[in-house]
Amino acid sequence: MSRQPVAIIGIGLRLPGADGLDTLWRHLDAQASLITEVPARRWDKQAWRGNPAKGNKTNCVWGGFLADAEGFDAAFFAISPREAAWMDPQQRFALEMSWHAIEDAGYRPSALAGSRTGVFMGVCHWDYAELIEKHTAQLDAYTPTGIAFSIIANRVSHFFDFQGPSVTNDTACAAALTALNDAVRAIEAGECDLALAGGVNLIWSPNHFVSFAKAGMLSKDGRAKAFDDDADGYVRGEGGAVLLLKPLERALADGDPIHAVIRGIGTNHGGRTNSLTVTNPKAQADLIVAVHQGAGIAPDSVDYVEAHGPGTPLGDPIEIAGLKDAFARLHQAAGTQPQEGRVGIGSVKTNIGHLEAAAGMAGLIKLILALRHETLPASLHFRTPNPHIAWDA
């Protein structure tokens, strides 16, 4: 587990309805839903809306979308208009959010040129490559670098002249937090002195809406109802965030702003379950126990858990079962008894949707804002507790 605390010293983000921390907090504090119908500039919702059992249709046309997601100041990043046109906008977002994360930490990006700064990015969808294949007959020399996932991290390293590790991962909805895990591990191993870690997710095509609707994964009314009896699926969202990381000891010595401290982190897999997309509560519990024990965190010191909480009728109970098992085992190992009181649990997906590859970053940033403002934002659309969760235990 984490051998030295790592500080988050800079944050760059673009989330539905918010391109900065203050704006995002205003939405969370106001209990605002930032879910809308799909913008007409993306695809025609009337043409694709329908019964997914009767063709290539989706019963969900809602999501957390960004305004001007196609906009990009190519000249600012010394990229020609031609090359920019072939770039997956997820590459552009990674560049922009990395710049803002460095700026937020109080550094000039040029001052870090040549440094051992690592870049770790998570991504999982290829919508732009799909659009190119559908609508472009003539390819270009920039096509391979424009659509390759590897270039999302490598373009950041190239532009800023960073010489630490540069890695893009696709671990689906875990991608952003896997990037964070890899960044913390690289700092611990001495492979880099600073690290950018983040995830990005942009929605251009209706294909995933159709496929996910056919699998029964999407909410039919466009509302993510985490932990509620009416939970019927998740709501897609787009955006992303990038964090600038530094060992806590060095951050304190350098007088850096510190948004939060990572004291433990880890990753695992659930192994074989009933289905490829069904999680394993025991494996989740194993990981939670290992991370808390490795970081020296006592179970009765935890006040809040920002959950995955997608709002699916069985996924939410599985997650809670894993948490309950983990904390029971942590108390048993510590020889303590759970104290009377409450531990908060919530999900930012009820506000902005499930950002898929970038989802973990959205949840982490919500938690950072909750710490800053000493307030736990509400989870929306919660009326009746999911009966499959034994809340009293």
Side-chain angles (χ1 to χ4, degrees):
M1 294 302 106
S2 185
R3 290 179 292 276
Q4 60 174 311
V6 173
I8 300 171
I9 65 172
I11 299 175
L13 65 89
R14 280 190 70 183
L15 299 174
D19 57 4
L21 291 172
D22 291 341
T23 306
L24 177 61
W25 176 253
R26 286 196 294 271
H27 290 313
L28 295 176
D29 193 42
Q31 301 183 32
S33 171
L34 300 169
I35 303 302
T36 64
E37 290 192 341
V38 60
R41 291 172 67 94
R42 304 301 180 88
W43 42 271
D44 181 0
K45 64 178 183 289
Q46 297 304 332
W48 289 91
R49 190 172 191 172
N51 185 345
K54 297 182 178 180
N56 288 333
K57 300 290 184 179
T58 176
N59 55 10
C60 179
V61 295
W62 295 274
F65 295 98
L66 301 180
D68 193 31
E70 65 271 37
F72 181 60
D73 189 348
F76 182 86
F77 291 100
I79 295 171
S80 71
R82 174 184 159 194
E83 183 174 8
W86 287 95
M87 285 171 60
D88 185 335
Q90 293 177 137
Q91 293 184 22
R92 308 175 199 166
F93 268 59
L95 280 171
E96 292 168 341
M97 293 186 300
S98 296
W99 180 283
H100 287 303
I102 296 167
E103 188 176 59
D104 182 59
Y107 288 92
R108 287 183 295 109
S110 60
L112 302 181
S115 65
R116 295 196 320 142
T117 298
V119 179
F120 301 86
M121 295 290 170
V123 65
C124 70
H125 289 316
W126 55 90
D127 289 25
Y128 201 65
E130 177 193 317
L131 294 186
I132 287 175
E133 184 173 340
K134 279 184 177 180
H135 302 293
T136 305
Q138 187 69 35
L139 298 179
D140 190 273
Y142 286 121
T143 304
T145 55
I147 63 176
F149 279 177
S150 60
I151 302 300
I152 292 175
N154 278 275
R155 194 177 287 278
V156 173
S157 299
H158 175 266
F159 174 77
F160 291 103
D161 189 19
F162 293 152
Q163 297 176 16
S166 191
V167 181
T168 305
N169 85 81
D170 174 3
T171 49
C173 305
L177 292 186
T178 300
L180 183 61
N181 177 81
D182 293 348
V184 170
R185 291 287 175 250
I187 289 174
E188 289 176 349
E191 296 175 355
C192 52
D193 301 317
L194 295 162
L196 289 167
V200 62
N201 191 60
L202 290 173
I203 299 169
W204 303 101
S205 164
N207 281 4
H208 279 98
F209 278 87
V210 171
S211 297
F212 293 156
K214 285 179 177 291
M217 299 168 109
L218 300 182
S219 169
K220 299 176 184 63
D221 61 5
R223 295 187 300 165
K225 299 174 280 288
F227 315 117
D228 193 83
D229 187 26
D230 289 333
D232 65 344
Y234 83 88
V235 180
R236 299 190 71 198
E238 64 179 10
V242 173
L243 310 178
L244 182 60
L245 309 175
K246 194 180 209 180
L248 177 61
E249 185 176 343
R250 279 194 51 217
L252 290 170
D254 294 342
D256 295 320
I258 297 175
H259 292 284
V261 175
I262 300 168
R263 296 194 175 276
I265 196 164
T267 183
N268 72 354
H269 192 278
R272 184 183 293 275
T273 59
N274 291 335
S275 168
L276 181 65
T277 57
V278 172
T279 53
N280 181 342
K282 182 183 181 302
Q284 290 183 349
D286 291 344
L287 180 62
I288 293 166
V289 169
V291 170
H292 280 74
Q293 290 179 338
I297 300 297
D300 55 5
S301 70
V302 177
D303 297 309
Y304 177 75
V305 175
E306 173 65 17
H308 179 55
T312 56
L314 293 179
D316 292 350
I318 289 173
E319 183 175 12
I320 299 296
L323 283 164
K324 288 165 58 178
D325 180 20
F327 279 87
R329 288 157 55 183
L330 284 167
H331 277 290
Q332 183 179 28
T336 59
Q337 292 293 324
Q339 301 299 309
E340 291 294 327
R342 293 288 184 269
V343 175
I345 187 165
S347 172
V348 75
K349 294 177 179 65
T350 63
N351 301 92
I352 62 175
H354 181 356
L355 270 61
E356 296 161 340
M361 281 293 144
L364 179 55
I365 288 171
K366 171 192 168 181
L367 181 54
I368 288 170
L369 288 169
L371 289 168
R372 175 183 294 183
H373 294 277
E374 300 183 351
T375 302
L376 293 181
S379 287
L380 308 185
H381 317 308
F382 183 81
R383 300 291 180 268
T384 304
N386 187 321
H388 297 292
I389 299 174
W391 294 99
D392 58 353

